Amino acid sequence: MSEGIEMPKDFLWGGAVAAHQLEGGWQEGKKGVSIADVMTAGSNGVARKVTDGVKDGEIYPNHWGNDFYHMYPEDIKLFAEMGLKCFRTSIAWTRIFPNGDEEEPNEAGLKFYDDMFDKCLKYNIQPVITLSHFEIPYHLVKEYGGWRNRKMIDFFDHFAEVCFRRYKDKVKYWMTFNEINNQIDFRDPHPLLQDSGLEMTDEDNWEEVMLQAAHYEFVASAKAVQLAHKINPEMQVGSMIAMCPVYPLTSKPQDIMKAERAMQYRYFYGDVQALGFYPEWMEKYRDRKGYDLDITNADLATIKAGTVDYVGFSYYMSFTTKAHDGETHFDFDEHNDLVSNPTVPKTDWGWQIDSVGLRYGMNWMTTRWHKPLFIVENGFGAHDKLEADKTIHDDYRISYFHDHILEMEKAVKEDGIDLIGYTPWGFIDLISASTGEMKKRYGMIYVDQDDEGNGSKNRYKKDSFYWFKKVIESNGKDLGTDIQK
Ligand code: P53
């Protein structure tokens, strides 16, 4: 395998997680119930359910996560051993505001993050923080209908302001909404609920409701950017986009047009947050569909004044689409219009493996938005085997990271892309967002726990741990697959 390219000085090598997927301790420190706390376990191909409150007899894996809430001091020591320069996690909104609509924050929750961040900083690991990562307070879903309600802007910005003030000297890089564009994935009801707390009724046009919710999130996010700059001008606030580039299946012009439309539809969120305005086609689209959204001139001014400092994004896979016969609008519907790409392999969960897509996506975003980028998620969900001597030989994961890091390095060195850092997803095993499984593992650190929460919870270093440590030590130059333990 080939050698890598040295990255710029101060490049932030790190790791990424989200509060609800690893903390556990769901009722500790007066934490409230979040949407993730009422999501049952699913499995490969079986969607998770959102129950009406916590029900007896159901399994809720986010209640225990991987127990980071209790184990973080030891875990962060391991992160330091790996050489991480930054640690991306989220602040569970319900630890700070248990119901979401309180005036006063919960001190126990604030203190937890103070202590955890201090532990990171002691090892020169800087926390990188997402404010809303699929963990909206459940009370806001039930009482207000989640982000279909304009009041959410104030609740979110109050939460954001409390966090900015409290951690202004501990956290430089922030993101407002995790994968803000992922809610268009309407394959089953949960993405809308998970991202924005939207429960659909039979009267709802889901797309109209979703576009309205996204609009309120854009306004809330733009206000948060401005608030952060007022509190500490050093703070950098980013968007967070799920980048899955959409390719045309063939060179048929209709397929090209369809793929272009798919890119517009999936990534207009970035247009709004990075450029500060809605793209032209979207206004026509809303008119054509007859959507009557609550978008005021004051909102548009806020969006313009609060563009993000950088674009954070996740990259796991690329998609492929093709036009239907006789199609004229080329409207993209994620549920029906994705086709399999015969030229790339897939993970056991059907995610297409395509390292070049990472470089393609980085170029696409830079040409369009001209903002620094930050790869805040990338990774390979796979079945791992814990050997009798507690080793894990995950050469498939090393190979995935090798290929993606090499493409990332080319994007920086050859294409001139301004990249802040790279944080592989779930670098310590945690609960999968889409399936609720533990066995869909992304980690370089193994956590001995099964899908039902049984196990010692001991942490073991996988082969990829030693490999990534060497990558960081050489600042990206040594991507060789030999490892020394
Ligand atoms: P899991 C879909 C497509 C791309 C990224 O996902 C996605 C999703 C939603 O599942 O989510 C991000 O655990 C997300 C993380 C999540 C990670 O990707 O389903 O930001 O919370 O865990 C991996 O395999």
Side-chain angles (χ1 to χ4, degrees):
M1 286 194 182
S2 49
E3 278 295 277
I5 304 162
E6 197 168 332
M7 295 300 275
K9 201 175 132 282
D10 302 329
F11 185 74
L12 289 179
W13 296 98
V17 299
H20 68 107
Q21 289 173 260
L22 92 166
E23 284 179 4
W26 73 290
Q27 289 182 303
E28 296 198 42
K30 299 195 190 138
K31 180 183 171 299
V33 177
S34 82
I35 189 75
D37 293 323
V38 295
M39 284 177 65
T40 63
S43 59
N44 194 356
V46 180
R48 305 179 72 176
K49 281 186 309 215
V50 176
T51 53
D52 190 14
V54 174
K55 301 279 181 212
D56 285 346
E58 297 282 3
I59 298 178
Y60 299 100
N62 299 73
H63 289 187
W64 54 77
N66 69 17
D67 204 27
F68 181 76
Y69 186 79
H70 297 107
M71 297 180 74
Y72 78 83
E74 287 305 306
D75 285 343
I76 292 170
K77 230 188 253 175
L78 264 179
F79 304 168
E81 188 185 326
M82 217 167 152
L84 299 198
K85 316 255 186 246
C86 74
F87 172 51
R88 175 187 176 228
T89 187
S90 57
I91 293 179
W93 191 338
T94 48
R95 287 202 191 281
I96 313 302
F97 291 99
N99 281 330
D101 57 358
E102 299 92 337
E103 195 47 48
E104 290 303 317
N106 170 31
E107 179 55 31
L110 287 167
K111 182 159 183 326
F112 168 71
Y113 291 105
D114 256 326
D115 294 346
M116 198 259 281
F117 295 164
D118 286 345
K119 192 85 192 166
C120 290
L121 294 168
K122 188 179 136 196
Y123 291 107
N124 290 320
I125 299 174
Q126 59 164 301
V128 170
I129 296 301
T130 317
L131 286 164
S132 180
H133 190 132
F134 304 165
E135 53 207 330
I136 167 175
Y138 188 54
H139 175 78
L140 297 183
V141 176
K142 292 316 266 182
E143 278 304 303
Y144 299 90
W147 279 96
R148 69 171 76 215
N149 191 328
R150 185 178 271 278
K151 288 198 180 114
M152 288 295 290
I153 299 174
D154 290 339
F155 298 143
F156 176 82
D157 285 322
H158 184 45
F159 165 54
E161 182 168 6
V162 164
C163 294
F164 292 149
R165 287 197 191 283
R166 179 80 170 218
Y167 308 120
K168 66 180 185 327
D169 300 318
K170 297 184 183 179
V171 178
K172 175 175 174 187
Y173 291 103
W174 299 83
M175 278 161 275
T176 48
F177 296 96
N178 186 63
E179 294 190 337
I180 187 164
N181 61 327
N182 227 353
Q183 44 201 326
I184 64 162
D185 179 353
F186 197 58
R187 250 166 285 202
D188 54 63
H190 86 248
L192 290 163
L193 254 171
Q194 188 178 281
D195 280 31
S196 299
L198 303 177
E199 285 180 302
M200 291 293 152
T201 67
D202 289 343
E203 289 88 70
D204 283 327
N205 177 317
W206 72 265
E207 189 179 50
E208 185 173 20
V209 175
M210 183 270 289
L211 291 173
Q212 181 66 68
H215 175 73
Y216 292 146
E217 288 173 4
F218 293 146
V219 176
S221 177
K223 283 192 170 166
V225 172
Q226 295 175 79
L227 266 169
H229 292 167
K230 237 182 261 159
I231 292 166
N232 179 355
E234 296 284 295
M235 289 197 289
Q236 300 282 296
V237 185
S239 54
M240 198 316 203
I241 305 279
M243 171 45 71
C244 307
V246 190
Y247 304 151
L249 182 65
T250 73
S251 57
K252 211 167 112 187
Q254 287 79 356
D255 286 356
I256 309 278
M257 189 59 217
K258 181 81 177 199
E260 168 63 14
R261 190 69 89 219
M263 290 296 277
Q264 289 178 325
Y265 188 71
R266 278 192 67 84
Y267 303 112
F268 81 88
Y269 299 78
D271 296 340
V272 177
Q273 293 190 293
L275 301 176
F277 52 86
Y278 279 97
E280 296 76 356
W281 71 268
M282 176 49 90
E283 302 192 1
K284 290 285 176 204
Y285 183 78
R286 287 192 303 238
D287 288 350
R288 179 154 59 79
K289 296 271 174 170
Y291 297 157
D292 181 21
L293 303 189
D294 170 28
I295 298 179
T296 67
N297 285 336
D299 292 345
L300 296 176
T302 301
I303 286 171
K304 198 166 204 123
T307 54
V308 290
D309 298 308
Y310 68 96
V311 173
F313 70 99
S314 64
Y315 179 81
Y316 293 89
M317 58 189 146
S318 57
F319 291 156
T320 307
T321 192
K322 74 192 256 294
H324 306 286
D325 285 340
E327 211 177 349
T328 53
H329 290 304
F330 304 104
D331 290 344
F332 175 70
D333 162 9
E334 188 130 338
H335 185 43
N336 291 312
D337 293 345
L338 292 179
V339 294
S340 171
N341 181 345
T343 70
V344 297
K346 297 184 178 62
T347 71
D348 289 347
W349 279 263
W351 290 21
Q352 299 188 148
I353 304 172
D354 167 19
S355 57
V356 175
L358 173 59
R359 182 176 180 184
Y360 175 85
M362 290 171 79
N363 275 275
W364 191 88
M365 289 188 280
T366 296
T367 307
R368 204 170 175 104
W369 302 327
H370 306 287
K371 298 273 180 184
L373 301 179
F374 197 159
I375 305 175
V376 296
E377 291 183 26
N378 174 231
F380 188 65
H383 292 101
D384 287 336
K385 181 161 180 281
L386 180 65
E387 306 289 347
D389 64 356
K390 311 296 183 203
T391 54
I392 303 96
H393 304 301
D394 56 342
D395 47 310
Y396 37 90
R397 187 170 288 110
I398 293 176
S399 143
Y400 178 98
F401 282 127
H402 170 277
D403 295 354
H404 285 75
I405 290 176
L406 197 58
E407 292 301 322
M408 161 185 98
E409 292 181 345
K410 286 188 216 157
V412 172
K413 284 291 167 191
E414 293 181 22
D415 308 335
I417 283 167
D418 184 0
L419 185 65
I420 298 167
Y422 174 77
T423 62
W425 173 254
F427 72 104
I428 176 165
D429 290 343
L430 40 60
I431 307 294
S432 156
S434 56
T435 70
E437 292 168 303
M438 191 69 199
K439 67 171 168 294
K440 186 181 189 188
R441 294 174 185 273
Y442 285 88
M444 299 168 171
I445 299 170
Y446 188 89
V447 175
D448 179 27
Q449 178 177 269
D450 68 15
D451 288 346
E452 280 78 46
N454 306 309
S456 67
K457 296 192 173 58
N458 285 343
R459 280 50 171 152
Y460 301 112
K461 298 169 203 167
K462 302 185 195 178
D463 286 355
S464 54
F465 177 101
Y466 301 98
W467 180 80
F468 194 51
K469 180 175 160 65
K470 199 178 63 164
V471 173
I472 299 177
E473 266 165 15
S474 67
N475 199 16
K477 208 166 159 47
D478 186 356
L479 301 183
T481 47
D482 57 307
I483 44 174
Q484 283 174 9
K485 297 192 182 174

